[in-house]
Amino acid sequence: DQQVKQNSPSLSVQEGRISILNCDYTNSMFDYFLWYKKYPAEGPTFLISISSIKDKNEDGRFTVFLNKSAKHLSLHIVPSQPGDSAVYFCAASRIQGAQKLVFGQGTRLTINP
Amino acid sequence: SQTIHQWPATLVQPVGSPLSLECTVEGTSNPNLYWYRQAAGRGLQLLFYSVGIGQISSEVPQNLSASRPQDRQFILSSKKLLLSDSGFYLCASYLGPWGTGELFFGEGSRLTVL
């Protein structure tokens, strides 16, 4: 049972344009959502998060949008840069509890010069 | 700042051999600790988590076990490896504050079972 889904395994975007990565979840108990970035042979690094009381959180070039009714979140990167090429994972958890993150399958983002 | 050390970084083991992956955390005390695995072409799957010394919770039935002998040490083990145990194993620590933080990951250990 995949509770967090990233249906696009890969995405290719031109440098300078907007990258939009999508994520869907099924468990309505999730109330905290995160995006991680991962380079090959390295551990994931935290990018940005959002709690369920918000619908948008922005940090520099990165913005996360949350649509609770649709159980959908997205990560916008603008403008996209070559260094943004990586695998992006969305994750969800419950604020109460042991902070167990449930991850999606990941989306490989490639920024073309 | 927090640091997570994982070793070995790379391991090639025959089927049926034992396994021990170690994780130590610096820069924090009494952390929640986690073992995740990334299998080829798949996402990150939570295997075990621990909220304290000797306290281990297993998320999925499998051929692996975990132990936490010290506050900042987390060990992943197997008595007999299977081919399906191959993957990239990640140790993580919860940064807090409670309910609003994120997990901090180590660099990972790549296991290939032949």
Side-chain angles (χ1 to χ4, degrees):
Chain A
D1 177 27
Q2 191 74 26
Q3 297 185 72
V4 179
K5 298 180 182 179
Q6 294 176 256
N7 292 317
S8 297
S10 63
L11 176 67
S12 187
V13 174
Q14 202 74 18
E15 181 179 0
R17 306 295 290 268
I18 183 171
S19 295
I20 301 176
L21 297 104
N22 294 302
C23 179
D24 297 293
Y25 62 96
T26 57
N27 189 341
S28 58
M29 300 299 288
F30 288 142
D31 51 14
Y32 196 67
F33 305 89
L34 309 90
W35 284 94
Y36 280 81
K37 176 180 180 180
K38 185 182 182 299
Y39 294 117
E42 295 184 9
T45 54
F46 170 75
L47 269 180
I48 192 169
S49 63
I50 189 168
S51 73
S52 58
I53 62 173
K54 295 184 175 182
D55 55 17
K56 176 183 175 181
N57 188 26
E58 191 172 354
D59 184 2
R61 297 186 298 115
F62 302 92
T63 303
V64 55
F65 295 92
L66 176 62
N67 183 334
K68 288 189 294 292
S69 60
K71 293 190 179 67
H72 177 84
L73 64 154
S74 61
L75 175 68
H76 292 209
I77 307 173
V78 56
S80 300
Q81 299 174 354
D84 296 329
S85 295
V87 176
Y88 289 77
F89 290 96
C90 70
S93 73
R94 297 183 61 184
I95 291 179
Q96 297 298 322
Q99 308 305 308
K100 299 182 292 182
L101 296 188
V102 180
F103 284 86
Q105 307 96 309
T107 296
R108 181 177 301 279
L109 175 65
T110 303
I111 306 300
N112 302 307
Chain B
S1 64
Q2 192 169 147
T3 305
I4 295 181
H5 299 284
Q6 286 188 244
W7 71 92
T10 305
L11 194 60
V12 180
Q13 292 285 98
V15 169
S17 63
L19 170 74
S20 180
L21 298 179
E22 297 196 29
C23 167
T24 57
V25 181
E26 296 178 358
T28 185
S29 60
N30 196 30
N32 284 5
L33 296 176
Y34 308 79
W35 278 112
Y36 280 84
R37 175 174 64 197
Q38 183 184 18
R42 302 187 66 178
L44 301 173
Q45 182 186 33
L46 177 62
L47 303 176
F48 301 95
Y49 72 93
S50 170
V51 299
I53 297 174
Q55 301 180 62
I56 308 294
S57 295
S58 174
E59 287 296 295
V60 293
Q62 59 205 317
N63 185 44
L64 303 168
S65 61
S67 62
R68 185 169 177 177
Q70 300 181 45
D71 180 47
R72 288 174 287 176
Q73 185 183 26
F74 206 21
I75 298 172
L76 185 70
S77 305
S78 175
K79 293 182 179 178
K80 290 185 178 181
L81 284 169
L82 305 173
L83 286 174
S84 58
D85 292 324
S86 293
F88 192 55
Y89 288 83
L90 290 154
C91 179
S93 173
Y94 179 61
L95 287 177
W98 195 253
T100 57
E102 70 272 3
L103 296 189
F104 178 76
F105 285 86
E107 292 298 309
S109 297
R110 179 161 302 282
L111 170 66
T112 303
V113 182
L114 301 175

